[in-house]
């Protein structure tokens, strides 16, 4: 999938993201924003799209531009 054509609500898993890549993404976000995802957010749904990730970050008090 062409990343430039993937919208904020596009399914990242359907676009080719693996479960291993989602863990790497989570770790990168934790490091970048100095946060820790609580256990209840460690689900595939949390990392399924850019919008879902932004919503999770917002819930953790990290303001991200949409």
């Amino acid at each position: 999938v062409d990343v430039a054509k993937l919208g904020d609500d596009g399914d990242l898993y359907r676009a080719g993201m693996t479960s291993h890549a989602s863990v790497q993404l989570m770790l990168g976000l934790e490091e970048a924003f100095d946060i820790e995802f609580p256990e209840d957010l460690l689900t595939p749904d949390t990392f399924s799209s850019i919008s879902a990730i932004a919503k999770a970050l917002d819930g953790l008090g990290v303001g991200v531009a949409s």
Side-chain angles (χ1 to χ4, degrees):
V1 171
D2 183 356
V3 176
K5 294 180 181 179
L6 186 64
D8 288 350
D9 292 320
D11 189 318
L12 296 176
Y13 294 104
R14 285 185 182 222
M17 183 169 72
T18 63
S19 59
H20 177 75
S22 69
V23 171
Q24 296 302 310
L25 172 61
M26 178 204 65
L27 294 172
L29 291 167
E30 288 183 334
E31 184 175 329
F33 294 110
D34 194 28
I35 58 167
E36 186 172 324
F37 283 92
E39 192 171 322
D40 64 316
L41 288 180
L42 299 181
T43 68
D45 287 342
T46 299
F47 303 97
S48 64
S49 68
I50 300 297
S51 294
I53 295 166
K55 181 179 176 183
L57 290 172
D58 188 50
L60 294 172
V62 177
V64 293
S66 332

